[in-house]
Amino acid sequence: MKHEMSEADLNLLRLTSPIRSSLAKRVLALIAKHPSDAELLPGVGLHFRDQPLPPTGYFYEPSFAVILQGAKRIKLGDSVFHYDASRFLLTSMNLPTTTEVLGATEDDPYVSVLIKLNLDIAREVLADLELNNYGEICSDSGMATGPATNEMLELVSKTLDLCDYSGNPAYLWGILQREIIYRLLVGPMGARLRQTVLTGTQSNRIAKAINWLKDNFSLPIKVEDLAGKAGMGVSTFHHHFRAMTSMSPLQYQKQLRLHEARRLLLAEQADASTVAFRVGYESSTQFSREYRRQFGQPPIRDMRSIMDMS
């Protein structure tokens, strides 16, 4: 289904076209200059594709991402986000997704920048600048898009400056991270980030349960136990968990298991049965069935398709 942009998004694309074009060229130059696995700054990812990417599992950590060229579709549980160069993506907690890069070509490649957010720094900024009560707090989804204004693109430009800085980028990066987080916290999507960071809020409690799940996804769980870790009743916990992640706690755990299984199959070339048990499945048959439902093909065929594309 084709995504129709609003008039406001179209106007924003026209207004920001020169700076986005310049930034995209800088990203491509940095990618060409450095090895593909090089991390030029901690938590900063520069991405480029000259062909579409079919639905692929991707685990989003708290981050700020901007597409400079192209478009992407992200499936988070029951929700679908379509974002392009007119929008930025804010993720406030750990979320397993399925992503697609749409319509990329050699002449018009997909180019993006992702900056992971340090939530400890976010807490410091909130405390230092007394932003705890700034604006309205919401308990909406842990993922949202906002307008990619010149101000947002300027943050990307400063990040790219440091990626190619010959001095001491680590010191300056610490300062820039605080500016990025400050502008996100006081911006139109800031309520989501503040809600996750602030101790005691519903979203902060859900984030703690999510972090536990992320570290212990292979273990059997009971929703009652997770609710206890979040300090909530089961019904309240289930409601807020679904609001933040667009899925139930058990669906979230399944997503974590399947994404890790796919990573292990690729990285270690282990057999499907071994991987199934490592990620917490008791039945390899159930694993293959759920894997196929998630990724469109059974494990072995999926691996072959990925290898053929690379």
Side-chain angles (χ1 to χ4, degrees), residues 203-258:
S203 297
N204 179 264
R205 293 177 182 181
I206 296 297
K208 287 182 178 179
I210 280 175
N211 290 339
W212 186 91
L213 265 177
K214 177 175 176 286
D215 294 335
N216 300 277
F217 62 83
S218 63
L219 301 178
I221 63 164
K222 293 182 179 179
V223 176
E224 293 86 350
D225 295 337
L226 279 177
K229 294 180 185 299
M232 296 180 178
V234 173
S235 178
T236 301
F237 173 76
H238 200 281
H239 170 77
H240 286 286
F241 194 101
R242 181 171 284 280
M244 296 296 294
T245 67
S246 294
M247 62 190 97
S248 71
L250 293 178
Q251 287 171 329
Y252 184 97
Q253 182 194 42
K254 184 190 295 184
Q255 289 281 310
L256 290 179
R257 287 178 170 180
L258 292 172

Side-chain angles (χ1 to χ4, degrees), residues 4-303:
E4 296 293 337
M5 283 194 291
S6 68
E7 189 63 31
D9 286 345
L10 288 170
N11 287 335
L12 188 58
L13 276 177
R14 286 190 286 266
L15 287 171
T16 59
S17 179
I19 185 171
R20 283 188 294 101
S21 178
S22 173
L23 291 174
K25 290 176 182 176
R26 291 174 63 189
V27 168
L28 293 175
L30 284 167
I31 290 174
K33 183 178 178 181
H34 298 276
S36 59
D37 58 349
E39 187 177 60
L40 303 183
L41 281 175
V44 175
L46 308 181
H47 302 285
F48 152 80
R49 283 195 66 86
D50 58 7
Q51 58 184 331
L53 177 71
T56 303
Y58 186 83
F59 190 86
Y60 275 93
E61 298 177 61
S63 56
F64 160 61
V66 174
I67 292 176
L68 301 172
Q69 288 181 187
K72 178 181 278 190
R73 183 184 294 119
I74 301 171
K75 188 174 186 297
L76 171 66
D78 298 329
S79 299
V80 177
F81 296 85
H82 187 295
Y83 92 108
D84 49 39
S86 68
R87 314 288 293 175
F88 72 85
L89 182 74
L90 176 64
T91 307
S92 61
M93 56 182 57
N94 295 311
L95 295 172
T97 69
T98 301
T99 70
E100 297 176 71
V101 172
L102 309 172
T105 66
E106 289 187 9
D107 295 331
D108 189 18
Y110 168 88
V111 183
S112 70
V113 177
L114 183 142
I115 301 169
K116 293 181 183 179
L117 301 177
N118 186 318
L119 297 188
D120 289 332
I121 292 178
R123 293 183 187 95
E124 293 174 10
V125 172
L126 280 170
D128 290 348
L129 300 180
E130 299 181 351
L131 294 174
N132 293 25
N133 297 316
Y134 184 95
E136 181 183 357
I137 288 291
C138 71
S139 57
D140 207 341
S141 172
M143 178 175 280
T145 63
T149 61
N150 277 323
E151 181 181 48
M152 294 293 103
L153 295 175
E154 183 62 28
L155 298 175
V156 176
S157 180
K158 290 180 179 181
T159 301
L160 297 181
D161 288 343
L162 288 184
C163 284
D164 210 25
Y165 182 59
S166 58
N168 184 353
Y171 176 77
L172 295 176
W173 178 229
I175 297 172
L176 180 55
Q177 284 184 86
R178 282 168 168 77
E179 179 183 353
I180 291 170
I181 287 171
Y182 169 78
R183 293 190 183 278
L184 290 171
L185 285 169
V186 302
M189 300 293 107
R192 289 169 172 81
L193 185 56
R194 293 196 301 278
Q195 176 76 350
T196 303
V197 169
L198 287 173
T199 302
T201 61
Q202 305 280 29
S203 297
N204 179 264
R205 293 177 182 181
I206 296 297
K208 287 182 178 179
I210 280 175
N211 290 339
W212 186 91
L213 265 177
K214 177 175 176 286
D215 294 335
N216 300 277
F217 62 83
S218 63
L219 301 178
I221 63 164
K222 293 182 179 179
V223 176
E224 293 86 350
D225 295 337
L226 279 177
K229 294 180 185 299
M232 296 180 178
V234 173
S235 178
T236 301
F237 173 76
H238 200 281
H239 170 77
H240 286 286
F241 194 101
R242 181 171 284 280
M244 296 296 294
T245 67
S246 294
M247 62 190 97
S248 71
L250 293 178
Q251 287 171 329
Y252 184 97
Q253 182 194 42
K254 184 190 295 184
Q255 289 281 310
L256 290 179
R257 287 178 170 180
L258 292 172
H259 281 73
E260 176 63 8
R262 201 183 204 201
R263 187 193 71 79
L264 290 171
L265 287 166
L266 277 170
E268 301 183 10
Q269 298 183 355
D271 65 90
S273 296
T274 300
V275 167
F277 290 116
R278 283 180 63 180
V279 300
Y281 279 89
E282 295 181 0
S283 164
S284 57
T285 302
Q286 181 188 5
F287 167 70
S288 294
R289 182 171 60 249
E290 293 186 352
Y291 189 101
R292 181 171 187 168
R293 188 178 300 134
Q294 174 68 27
F295 299 114
Q297 301 183 96
I300 294 176
R301 195 181 304 165
D302 184 43
M303 290 302 102

